[in-house]
Amino acid sequence: SSCFASVSTAAALATSSSWAAMADASREVVQKLQVAEEQAAAIIDTAKKNRVAMLRHAKDAAEDELKAFRTEVEAKHQQESAAKKSSDIAADLTAATQKELAEVKKDYDT
């Protein structure tokens, strides 16, 4: 009976140490998962910040490009407008000169 008791005690110790080992292993797995989750959250946070920074940079670059384009178009428009205005003045002056010349010629012929 004493022999049987020591075998059952040894089996109980083996079982309880086995349960303790499994509990320790479970805790270790849970801790590893928590560390992995924290690392994943940090990676995601960094990716979000990088994405926002890239979008901001792209927006700024697009605005700079648009500003340069507007300036170029405005300058071209001003140049064309000035050229048209001066050519209209020249055309008006030529027409007025031709009209006066025709009147002088008419007066001379009559």
XYZ file of all heavy atoms in Angstrom:
820
model
N 0.817 -1.176 0.000
C 0.000 0.000 0.000
C 0.860 1.238 0.000
O 0.509 2.226 -0.638
C -0.928 -0.104 1.193
O -0.977 0.984 1.982
N 1.971 1.171 0.693
C 2.899 2.291 0.745
C 3.521 2.516 -0.621
O 3.736 3.637 -1.032
C 3.962 1.986 1.798
O 5.069 2.829 1.624
N 3.788 1.446 -1.305
C 4.360 1.514 -2.639
C 3.358 2.137 -3.605
O 3.707 2.944 -4.448
C 4.745 0.109 -3.090
S 5.523 0.121 -4.714
N 2.086 1.769 -3.443
C 1.032 2.289 -4.296
C 0.838 3.785 -4.060
O 0.652 4.546 -4.989
C -0.268 1.509 -4.040
C -1.396 1.966 -4.910
C -1.370 1.707 -6.284
C -2.464 2.650 -4.382
C -2.415 2.119 -7.077
C -3.502 3.065 -5.187
C -3.482 2.797 -6.543
N 0.937 4.202 -2.821
C 0.770 5.608 -2.460
C 1.893 6.438 -3.056
O 1.681 7.558 -3.528
C 0.727 5.766 -0.954
N 3.104 5.948 -3.043
C 4.212 6.727 -3.581
C 4.133 6.809 -5.106
O 4.501 7.804 -5.704
C 5.551 6.182 -3.121
O 5.715 4.843 -3.448
N 3.609 5.771 -5.764
C 3.436 5.803 -7.216
C 2.351 6.810 -7.571
O 2.514 7.612 -8.496
C 3.076 4.411 -7.759
C 2.653 4.482 -9.216
C 4.250 3.470 -7.601
N 1.247 6.808 -6.827
C 0.173 7.754 -7.119
C 0.620 9.171 -6.789
O 0.244 10.117 -7.476
C -1.105 7.384 -6.379
O -0.930 7.532 -4.998
N 1.444 9.329 -5.768
C 1.969 10.661 -5.446
C 2.917 11.115 -6.539
O 2.881 12.272 -6.962
C 2.730 10.626 -4.092
O 1.880 10.089 -3.092
C 3.175 11.997 -3.691
N 3.724 10.220 -7.046
C 4.645 10.550 -8.129
C 3.860 10.907 -9.390
O 4.199 11.854 -10.115
C 5.587 9.387 -8.394
N 2.776 10.155 -9.639
C 1.945 10.444 -10.812
C 1.263 11.795 -10.653
O 1.172 12.577 -11.600
C 0.904 9.352 -11.003
N 0.803 12.088 -9.440
C 0.154 13.369 -9.173
C 1.141 14.511 -9.343
O 0.815 15.559 -9.912
C -0.441 13.375 -7.776
N 2.373 14.309 -8.870
C 3.400 15.336 -9.026
C 3.731 15.540 -10.495
O 3.908 16.679 -10.954
C 4.662 14.957 -8.248
C 4.584 15.079 -6.737
C 5.868 14.556 -6.102
C 4.350 16.512 -6.322
N 3.822 14.445 -11.222
C 4.126 14.541 -12.654
C 3.001 15.263 -13.383
O 3.248 16.099 -14.252
C 4.331 13.152 -13.231
N 1.764 14.944 -13.009
C 0.610 15.582 -13.639
C 0.576 17.058 -13.289
O 0.376 17.906 -14.160
C -0.696 14.902 -13.200
O -0.607 13.513 -13.514
C -1.883 15.485 -13.901
N 0.798 17.399 -12.032
C 0.734 18.813 -11.642
C 1.900 19.595 -12.241
O 1.735 20.742 -12.648
C 0.709 18.959 -10.128
O 1.931 18.555 -9.555
N 3.077 18.961 -12.349
C 4.194 19.670 -12.967
C 3.952 19.804 -14.468
O 4.339 20.782 -15.083
C 5.520 18.970 -12.674
O 5.635 17.786 -13.407
N 3.266 18.837 -15.050
C 2.903 18.902 -16.460
C 1.907 20.048 -16.685
O 2.032 20.799 -17.643
C 2.309 17.566 -16.870
O 1.725 17.642 -18.125
N 0.936 20.172 -15.795
C -0.034 21.273 -15.888
C 0.663 22.608 -15.690
O 0.383 23.581 -16.390
C -1.144 21.120 -14.851
C -2.154 20.067 -15.216
C -2.317 18.861 -14.631
C -3.117 20.141 -16.255
N -3.325 18.153 -15.235
C -3.842 18.940 -16.255
C -3.450 21.093 -17.203
C -4.861 18.673 -17.151
C -4.479 20.822 -18.075
C -5.169 19.613 -18.059
N 1.580 22.663 -14.778
C 2.320 23.901 -14.526
C 3.151 24.276 -15.752
O 3.228 25.450 -16.129
C 3.206 23.736 -13.301
N 3.758 23.293 -16.364
C 4.561 23.552 -17.562
C 3.676 24.067 -18.697
O 4.041 24.994 -19.420
C 5.299 22.293 -17.980
N 2.495 23.465 -18.851
C 1.572 23.911 -19.893
C 1.071 25.323 -19.594
O 0.937 26.152 -20.494
C 0.398 22.937 -20.033
C 0.808 21.644 -20.724
S -0.547 20.636 -21.351
C -1.527 20.302 -19.924
N 0.816 25.631 -18.333
C 0.367 26.965 -17.954
C 1.468 27.982 -18.233
O 1.205 29.078 -18.750
C -0.036 26.994 -16.484
N 2.709 27.608 -17.913
C 3.832 28.498 -18.206
C 3.971 28.716 -19.716
O 4.198 29.838 -20.174
C 5.144 27.913 -17.648
C 5.229 28.012 -16.132
O 4.443 28.795 -15.541
O 6.078 27.317 -15.543
N 3.825 27.645 -20.464
C 3.907 27.744 -21.923
C 2.790 28.629 -22.472
O 3.014 29.454 -23.362
C 3.848 26.358 -22.557
N 1.586 28.504 -21.912
C 0.461 29.330 -22.340
C 0.730 30.801 -22.042
O 0.471 31.674 -22.872
C -0.825 28.903 -21.639
O -1.234 27.644 -22.101
N 1.249 31.072 -20.831
C 1.580 32.459 -20.471
C 2.630 33.028 -21.417
O 2.548 34.174 -21.843
C 2.083 32.522 -19.021
C 0.968 32.658 -18.026
C 1.506 32.970 -16.625
N 0.837 32.057 -15.704
C 1.337 30.944 -15.188
N 2.569 30.595 -15.435
N 0.624 30.187 -14.402
N 3.598 32.196 -21.750
C 4.667 32.642 -22.654
C 4.104 32.951 -24.036
O 4.453 33.955 -24.654
C 5.739 31.561 -22.746
C 6.976 31.989 -23.502
C 8.044 30.914 -23.503
O 8.203 30.192 -22.502
O 8.721 30.807 -24.540
N 3.206 32.099 -24.509
C 2.578 32.330 -25.814
C 1.750 33.616 -25.784
O 1.806 34.426 -26.720
C 1.715 31.122 -26.235
C 0.846 31.448 -27.432
C 2.584 29.918 -26.531
N 1.006 33.808 -24.706
C 0.186 35.014 -24.582
C 1.076 36.255 -24.557
O 0.781 37.264 -25.214
C -0.715 34.940 -23.311
C -1.355 36.282 -23.021
C -1.773 33.868 -23.482
N 2.178 36.190 -23.827
C 3.102 37.327 -23.769
C 3.703 37.609 -25.149
O 3.812 38.767 -25.567
C 4.217 37.075 -22.749
C 3.753 37.173 -21.313
C 4.855 36.802 -20.318
O 5.861 36.209 -20.697
N 4.633 37.146 -19.046
N 4.058 36.558 -25.870
C 4.597 36.738 -27.222
C 3.555 37.368 -28.139
O 3.875 38.233 -28.965
C 5.066 35.400 -27.800
C 6.371 34.919 -27.217
C 6.798 33.600 -27.854
C 8.097 33.094 -27.257
N 8.534 31.827 -27.852
N 2.314 36.931 -27.994
C 1.232 37.513 -28.804
C 1.033 38.986 -28.466
O 0.819 39.807 -29.362
C -0.074 36.745 -28.594
C -0.179 35.398 -29.291
C -1.459 34.683 -28.862
C -0.170 35.572 -30.795
N 1.092 39.331 -27.188
C 0.948 40.725 -26.794
C 2.076 41.580 -27.363
O 1.840 42.680 -27.878
C 0.909 40.857 -25.267
C -0.384 40.369 -24.656
C -0.338 40.371 -23.127
O 0.727 40.339 -22.525
N -1.521 40.407 -22.516
N 3.304 41.066 -27.307
C 4.441 41.787 -27.877
C 4.257 41.949 -29.386
O 4.483 43.024 -29.945
C 5.773 41.063 -27.549
C 6.925 41.629 -28.358
C 6.077 41.148 -26.060
N 3.812 40.879 -30.041
C 3.587 40.931 -31.490
C 2.492 41.945 -31.830
O 2.611 42.692 -32.807
C 3.228 39.551 -32.022
N 1.426 41.986 -31.026
C 0.348 42.951 -31.258
C 0.858 44.372 -31.084
O 0.510 45.271 -31.860
C -0.819 42.687 -30.306
C -1.661 41.497 -30.678
C -2.786 41.231 -29.684
O -2.851 41.922 -28.650
O -3.596 40.340 -29.959
N 1.681 44.608 -30.060
C 2.236 45.943 -29.843
C 3.134 46.352 -31.004
O 3.081 47.497 -31.464
C 3.014 45.982 -28.526
C 2.133 45.884 -27.295
C 2.923 45.680 -26.003
O 4.172 45.661 -26.052
O 2.283 45.551 -24.946
N 3.941 45.410 -31.484
C 4.806 45.696 -32.628
C 3.984 45.986 -33.873
O 4.283 46.908 -34.633
C 5.767 44.539 -32.887
C 6.842 44.386 -31.832
C 7.681 43.132 -32.022
O 7.298 42.209 -32.745
N 8.827 43.091 -31.353
N 2.937 45.203 -34.078
C 2.059 45.412 -35.238
C 1.387 46.779 -35.146
O 1.284 47.496 -36.149
C 1.029 44.302 -35.326
N 0.931 47.150 -33.951
C 0.286 48.459 -33.767
C 1.279 49.580 -34.055
O 0.925 50.588 -34.686
C -0.267 48.580 -32.351
N 2.533 49.417 -33.625
C 3.556 50.429 -33.896
C 3.832 50.542 -35.392
O 3.980 51.644 -35.929
C 4.839 50.091 -33.134
N 3.886 49.395 -36.072
C 4.119 49.398 -37.520
C 2.973 50.093 -38.238
O 3.177 50.910 -39.137
C 4.315 47.958 -38.041
C 5.654 47.407 -37.540
C 4.237 47.894 -39.558
C 5.835 45.922 -37.775
N 1.749 49.788 -37.841
C 0.569 50.404 -38.458
C 0.563 51.905 -38.207
O 0.286 52.698 -39.110
C -0.725 49.737 -37.944
C -0.820 48.315 -38.502
C -1.959 50.553 -38.312
C -1.908 47.478 -37.879
N 0.878 52.311 -36.986
C 0.919 53.736 -36.647
C 1.959 54.460 -37.501
O 1.692 55.532 -38.047
C 1.230 53.910 -35.161
C 1.108 55.343 -34.707
O 0.077 55.980 -35.033
O 2.047 55.833 -34.044
N 3.138 53.856 -37.640
C 4.188 54.450 -38.466
C 3.746 54.532 -39.925
O 3.973 55.546 -40.592
C 5.491 53.625 -38.354
O 5.896 53.600 -36.984
C 6.595 54.206 -39.192
N 3.101 53.490 -40.409
C 2.621 53.483 -41.802
C 1.584 54.580 -42.021
O 1.600 55.261 -43.047
C 2.043 52.115 -42.155
N 0.688 54.770 -41.061
C -0.324 55.830 -41.175
C 0.335 57.198 -41.209
O -0.029 58.061 -42.013
C -1.313 55.758 -40.014
C -2.313 54.642 -40.134
C -3.261 54.628 -38.948
C -4.251 53.476 -39.017
N -5.135 53.458 -37.856
N 1.321 57.408 -40.324
C 2.022 58.694 -40.298
C 2.764 58.924 -41.615
O 2.744 60.034 -42.158
C 2.999 58.741 -39.127
C 2.316 58.890 -37.790
C 3.316 58.878 -36.649
C 2.595 58.936 -35.308
N 3.533 58.846 -34.186
N 3.406 57.886 -42.132
C 4.115 58.006 -43.407
C 3.149 58.300 -44.549
O 3.448 59.101 -45.429
C 4.905 56.735 -43.713
C 6.110 56.565 -42.819
O 6.555 57.498 -42.167
N 6.636 55.359 -42.761
N 1.992 57.665 -44.511
C 0.981 57.887 -45.555
C 0.501 59.331 -45.526
O 0.400 59.989 -46.567
C -0.191 56.933 -45.354
C -1.293 57.090 -46.373
C -2.393 56.044 -46.133
N -3.501 56.267 -47.009
C -4.583 56.987 -46.697
N -4.702 57.522 -45.514
N -5.562 57.145 -47.566
N 0.217 59.828 -44.336
C -0.234 61.217 -44.196
C 0.850 62.170 -44.687
O 0.569 63.129 -45.415
C -0.633 61.520 -42.736
C -0.822 63.007 -42.519
C -1.898 60.768 -42.364
N 2.098 61.897 -44.324
C 3.203 62.749 -44.760
C 3.358 62.716 -46.277
O 3.571 63.763 -46.911
C 4.496 62.311 -44.082
N 3.226 61.531 -46.874
C 3.339 61.417 -48.329
C 2.202 62.150 -49.023
O 2.412 62.831 -50.036
C 3.363 59.947 -48.753
C 4.669 59.258 -48.433
S 4.692 57.472 -48.741
C 4.031 57.342 -50.376
N 0.992 62.022 -48.496
C -0.149 62.729 -49.094
C 0.030 64.242 -48.988
O -0.262 64.977 -49.935
C -1.453 62.302 -48.411
C -1.951 60.902 -48.752
C -3.156 60.539 -47.870
C -2.350 60.823 -50.212
N 0.512 64.689 -47.840
C 0.749 66.118 -47.646
C 1.810 66.610 -48.628
O 1.662 67.674 -49.252
C 1.182 66.387 -46.204
C 1.194 67.858 -45.841
C 1.437 68.075 -44.361
N 0.304 67.577 -43.589
C 0.410 66.758 -42.545
N 1.577 66.356 -42.129
N -0.666 66.362 -41.899
N 2.870 65.825 -48.790
C 3.934 66.190 -49.721
C 3.403 66.232 -51.156
O 3.711 67.152 -51.918
C 5.098 65.204 -49.600
C 6.192 65.438 -50.580
N 7.034 66.525 -50.511
C 6.574 64.740 -51.679
C 7.872 66.484 -51.518
N 7.622 65.399 -52.239
N 2.617 65.241 -51.527
C 2.048 65.196 -52.882
C 1.122 66.387 -53.116
O 1.143 66.999 -54.189
C 1.301 63.885 -53.096
N 0.333 66.734 -52.109
C -0.577 67.879 -52.216
C 0.213 69.168 -52.386
O -0.111 69.999 -53.244
C -1.457 67.963 -50.973
C -2.421 69.120 -50.987
C -3.203 69.198 -49.691
C -4.002 70.479 -49.661
N -4.038 71.071 -48.354
N 1.258 69.341 -51.577
C 2.093 70.543 -51.684
C 2.766 70.630 -53.049
O 2.808 71.706 -53.661
C 3.149 70.561 -50.573
C 2.549 70.760 -49.189
O 1.366 71.167 -49.098
O 3.257 70.508 -48.192
N 3.267 69.509 -53.540
C 3.915 69.492 -54.851
C 2.907 69.838 -55.947
O 3.222 70.603 -56.871
C 4.547 68.129 -55.115
N 1.702 69.300 -55.845
C 0.666 69.586 -56.846
C 0.271 71.061 -56.799
O 0.076 71.691 -57.851
C -0.555 68.703 -56.612
N 0.168 71.615 -55.589
C -0.171 73.038 -55.467
C 0.931 73.909 -56.050
O 0.648 74.903 -56.724
C -0.424 73.393 -54.002
C -1.753 72.887 -53.484
C -1.956 73.162 -52.000
O -1.013 73.621 -51.322
O -3.073 72.913 -51.526
N 2.194 73.549 -55.811
C 3.308 74.308 -56.381
C 3.280 74.248 -57.899
O 3.490 75.255 -58.578
C 4.644 73.773 -55.860
C 4.866 74.081 -54.396
O 4.142 74.941 -53.838
O 5.770 73.461 -53.795
N 3.025 73.052 -58.428
C 2.961 72.886 -59.879
C 1.799 73.689 -60.463
O 1.939 74.340 -61.501
C 2.797 71.398 -60.201
C 2.952 71.064 -61.656
C 2.909 69.564 -61.905
O 3.467 68.797 -61.089
O 2.310 69.174 -62.918
N 0.659 73.667 -59.784
C -0.502 74.423 -60.248
C -0.229 75.922 -60.204
O -0.604 76.657 -61.124
C -1.725 74.075 -59.393
C -3.040 74.734 -59.777
C -3.429 74.355 -61.202
C -4.137 74.326 -58.823
N 0.441 76.371 -59.146
C 0.769 77.793 -59.023
C 1.685 78.227 -60.166
O 1.473 79.282 -60.781
C 1.455 78.060 -57.677
C 1.620 79.528 -57.362
C 2.385 79.742 -56.054
C 1.624 79.200 -54.879
N 2.304 79.453 -53.600
N 2.677 77.407 -60.487
C 3.586 77.718 -61.594
C 2.825 77.738 -62.924
O 3.049 78.626 -63.758
C 4.722 76.704 -61.641
N 1.926 76.782 -63.100
C 1.131 76.723 -64.326
C 0.239 77.963 -64.457
O 0.151 78.569 -65.524
C 0.281 75.448 -64.347
C -0.608 75.330 -65.543
C -0.089 75.021 -66.787
C -1.978 75.545 -65.429
C -0.902 74.914 -67.900
C -2.802 75.442 -66.533
C -2.265 75.132 -67.773
N -0.406 78.337 -63.354
C -1.264 79.536 -63.382
C -0.458 80.780 -63.730
O -0.912 81.622 -64.509
C -1.946 79.731 -62.031
C -3.130 78.864 -61.821
C -3.848 79.210 -60.533
N -4.967 78.331 -60.338
C -5.412 77.944 -59.165
N -4.826 78.364 -58.068
N -6.442 77.134 -59.068
N 0.721 80.901 -63.124
C 1.575 82.050 -63.400
C 1.956 82.089 -64.872
O 1.906 83.146 -65.514
C 2.844 81.992 -62.516
O 2.450 81.963 -61.148
C 3.743 83.168 -62.754
N 2.310 80.932 -65.424
C 2.685 80.845 -66.831
C 1.514 81.216 -67.740
O 1.667 81.985 -68.691
C 3.168 79.426 -67.136
C 3.600 79.193 -68.564
C 3.997 77.750 -68.814
O 4.478 77.084 -67.881
O 3.810 77.283 -69.949
N 0.342 80.671 -67.440
C -0.842 80.952 -68.261
C -1.230 82.428 -68.155
O -1.575 83.058 -69.160
C -2.016 80.035 -67.852
C -3.314 80.484 -68.478
C -1.714 78.595 -68.242
N -1.149 82.966 -66.950
C -1.489 84.382 -66.756
C -0.528 85.279 -67.529
O -0.956 86.242 -68.173
C -1.461 84.732 -65.258
C -1.853 86.153 -64.952
C -3.291 86.500 -65.290
O -4.153 85.600 -65.239
O -3.561 87.678 -65.598
N 0.759 84.966 -67.482
C 1.747 85.758 -68.216
C 1.486 85.681 -69.715
O 1.551 86.693 -70.430
C 3.157 85.276 -67.889
N 1.184 84.478 -70.200
C 0.889 84.297 -71.623
C -0.360 85.088 -72.014
O -0.391 85.737 -73.061
C 0.706 82.806 -71.922
C 0.613 82.460 -73.382
C 0.576 80.955 -73.565
C 0.540 80.578 -75.034
N 0.503 79.129 -75.224
N -1.362 85.044 -71.152
C -2.599 85.783 -71.420
C -2.327 87.291 -71.455
O -2.830 87.989 -72.343
C -3.642 85.459 -70.351
C -4.881 86.284 -70.453
N -5.793 86.126 -71.466
C -5.354 87.290 -69.681
C -6.776 86.998 -71.312
N -6.526 87.718 -70.238
N -1.557 87.768 -70.504
C -1.231 89.193 -70.472
C -0.475 89.599 -71.742
O -0.741 90.654 -72.330
C -0.383 89.530 -69.236
C -1.115 89.403 -67.924
C -2.237 90.418 -67.771
O -2.213 91.494 -68.351
N -3.245 90.053 -66.993
N 0.466 88.754 -72.157
C 1.247 89.039 -73.351
C 0.356 89.066 -74.586
O 0.436 89.978 -75.411
C 2.341 87.980 -73.497
C 3.332 88.242 -74.589
C 4.409 87.169 -74.630
O 4.188 86.051 -74.175
N 5.562 87.498 -75.174
N -0.526 88.066 -74.710
C -1.433 88.018 -75.857
C -2.413 89.180 -75.831
O -2.730 89.760 -76.874
C -2.189 86.690 -75.871
C -1.330 85.498 -76.248
C -2.061 84.178 -76.108
O -3.241 84.167 -75.704
O -1.444 83.135 -76.413
N -2.878 89.525 -74.656
C -3.809 90.635 -74.513
C -3.139 91.955 -74.913
O -3.739 92.765 -75.627
C -4.301 90.708 -73.069
O -5.192 91.772 -72.895
N -1.907 92.140 -74.468
C -1.168 93.353 -74.830
C -0.905 93.396 -76.326
O -1.032 94.454 -76.965
C 0.138 93.419 -74.049
N -0.544 92.262 -76.912
C -0.286 92.202 -78.356
C -1.559 92.496 -79.136
O -1.534 93.228 -80.132
C 0.273 90.833 -78.733
N -2.665 91.950 -78.684
C -3.944 92.179 -79.371
C -4.344 93.645 -79.255
O -4.790 94.241 -80.228
C -5.032 91.281 -78.773
C -6.348 91.415 -79.486
C -7.393 90.489 -78.925
C -8.699 90.695 -79.675
N -9.793 89.983 -79.077
N -4.153 94.190 -78.070
C -4.521 95.585 -77.853
C -3.688 96.490 -78.752
O -4.224 97.388 -79.393
C -4.300 95.961 -76.386
C -4.839 97.328 -76.021
C -4.571 97.654 -74.563
C -5.688 97.118 -73.718
N -5.589 97.569 -72.323
N -2.369 96.233 -78.828
C -1.520 97.073 -79.670
C -1.840 96.849 -81.149
O -1.804 97.786 -81.935
C -0.043 96.820 -79.383
O 0.335 95.533 -79.798
N -2.176 95.621 -81.545
C -2.512 95.385 -82.953
C -3.854 96.014 -83.286
O -4.050 96.501 -84.387
C -2.493 93.902 -83.275
O -3.730 93.291 -82.994
N -4.797 96.029 -82.325
C -6.083 96.698 -82.556
C -5.874 98.197 -82.711
O -6.492 98.825 -83.577
C -7.044 96.428 -81.390
C -7.579 95.004 -81.385
O -7.409 94.299 -82.397
O -8.162 94.602 -80.357
N -4.998 98.769 -81.911
C -4.703 100.199 -82.014
C -4.064 100.500 -83.362
O -4.429 101.465 -84.041
C -3.801 100.653 -80.839
C -4.582 100.584 -79.524
C -3.260 102.051 -81.068
C -3.739 100.796 -78.283
N -3.125 99.636 -83.746
C -2.464 99.826 -85.043
C -3.463 99.694 -86.186
O -3.433 100.469 -87.150
C -1.334 98.818 -85.200
N -4.354 98.726 -86.084
C -5.369 98.536 -87.138
C -6.302 99.736 -87.194
O -6.658 100.213 -88.288
C -6.152 97.255 -86.887
N -6.709 100.238 -86.025
C -7.580 101.418 -85.987
C -6.872 102.633 -86.585
O -7.469 103.414 -87.350
C -8.004 101.737 -84.549
C -8.967 100.704 -83.988
O -9.531 99.917 -84.781
O -9.153 100.681 -82.743
N -5.593 102.801 -86.245
C -4.820 103.929 -86.772
C -4.673 103.817 -88.281
O -4.828 104.808 -89.006
C -3.450 103.976 -86.092
C -2.540 105.131 -86.469
C -3.209 106.478 -86.174
C -1.230 105.029 -85.720
N -4.415 102.613 -88.763
C -4.285 102.390 -90.206
C -5.607 102.691 -90.907
O -5.632 103.351 -91.960
C -3.854 100.934 -90.486
O -2.614 100.690 -89.832
C -3.700 100.671 -91.970
N -6.701 102.230 -90.328
C -8.018 102.489 -90.925
C -8.312 103.985 -90.938
O -8.816 104.522 -91.945
C -9.090 101.734 -90.163
N -8.028 104.667 -89.860
C -8.280 106.105 -89.792
C -7.400 106.846 -90.805
O -7.864 107.786 -91.481
C -8.014 106.622 -88.379
N -6.152 106.422 -90.929
C -5.234 107.052 -91.884
C -5.720 106.834 -93.311
O -5.718 107.760 -94.130
C -3.816 106.472 -91.708
O -3.397 106.669 -90.365
C -2.829 107.126 -92.651
N -6.168 105.620 -93.606
C -6.688 105.316 -94.950
C -7.927 106.158 -95.251
O -8.089 106.656 -96.372
C -7.026 103.811 -95.067
C -5.821 102.897 -95.059
C -4.911 103.136 -96.265
O -5.369 103.472 -97.357
N -3.626 102.976 -96.032
N -8.779 106.322 -94.259
C -10.005 107.103 -94.445
C -9.661 108.559 -94.724
O -10.200 109.173 -95.652
C -10.886 106.979 -93.203
C -12.199 107.686 -93.313
C -13.036 107.486 -92.062
C -14.338 108.243 -92.171
N -15.139 108.137 -90.967
N -8.736 109.103 -93.916
C -8.334 110.503 -94.121
C -7.633 110.662 -95.465
O -7.850 111.664 -96.178
C -7.423 110.959 -92.987
C -8.158 111.178 -91.686
C -7.242 111.666 -90.581
O -6.240 112.358 -90.859
O -7.534 111.344 -89.424
N -6.806 109.687 -95.830
C -6.116 109.729 -97.112
C -7.126 109.709 -98.259
O -6.977 110.443 -99.249
C -5.145 108.559 -97.217
C -4.204 108.544 -98.407
C -3.326 109.783 -98.432
C -3.334 107.306 -98.375
N -8.154 108.890 -98.116
C -9.193 108.809 -99.146
C -9.937 110.139 -99.240
O -10.246 110.601 -100.360
C -10.152 107.674 -98.833
N -10.200 110.776 -98.116
C -10.894 112.073 -98.136
C -10.030 113.151 -98.783
O -10.523 113.973 -99.568
C -11.290 112.481 -96.716
C -12.433 111.671 -96.156
C -12.777 112.061 -94.716
O -12.402 113.163 -94.274
O -13.427 111.241 -94.039
N -8.737 113.133 -98.447
C -7.821 114.113 -99.048
C -7.744 113.898 -100.556
O -7.777 114.850 -101.345
C -6.422 114.030 -98.386
C -5.390 114.849 -99.163
C -6.499 114.489 -96.953
N -7.655 112.630 -100.966
C -7.570 112.312 -102.382
C -8.856 112.739 -103.095
O -8.799 113.263 -104.209
C -7.313 110.809 -102.553
C -6.971 110.428 -103.957
C -6.557 108.976 -104.005
C -6.173 108.652 -105.440
N -5.775 107.287 -105.622
N -9.983 112.507 -102.414
C -11.269 112.892 -102.996
C -11.339 114.409 -103.163
O -11.786 114.894 -104.194
C -12.399 112.403 -102.086
C -13.773 112.712 -102.557
C -14.793 112.188 -101.561
C -16.141 112.711 -101.883
N -17.131 112.413 -100.862
N -10.880 115.109 -102.128
C -10.872 116.574 -102.206
C -9.921 117.039 -103.328
O -10.203 118.018 -104.021
C -10.431 117.199 -100.882
C -11.511 117.079 -99.825
O -12.679 116.837 -100.181
O -11.187 117.224 -98.624
N -8.831 116.368 -103.501
C -7.836 116.742 -104.505
C -8.363 116.484 -105.896
O -8.138 117.274 -106.811
C -6.546 115.964 -104.257
C -5.467 116.262 -105.232
C -4.773 117.497 -105.191
C -5.131 115.369 -106.260
C -3.799 117.783 -106.099
C -4.143 115.660 -107.170
C -3.472 116.873 -107.092
O -2.497 117.154 -108.009
N -9.083 115.349 -106.051
C -9.603 114.993 -107.363
C -10.752 115.901 -107.754
O -10.995 116.104 -108.949
C -10.079 113.530 -107.375
C -8.902 112.559 -107.358
O -7.772 112.955 -107.709
O -9.115 111.381 -106.960
N -11.478 116.457 -106.865
C -12.630 117.284 -107.236
C -12.361 118.721 -107.333
O -11.464 119.387 -107.236
C -13.767 117.127 -106.207
O -13.325 117.392 -104.939
C -14.466 115.863 -106.394
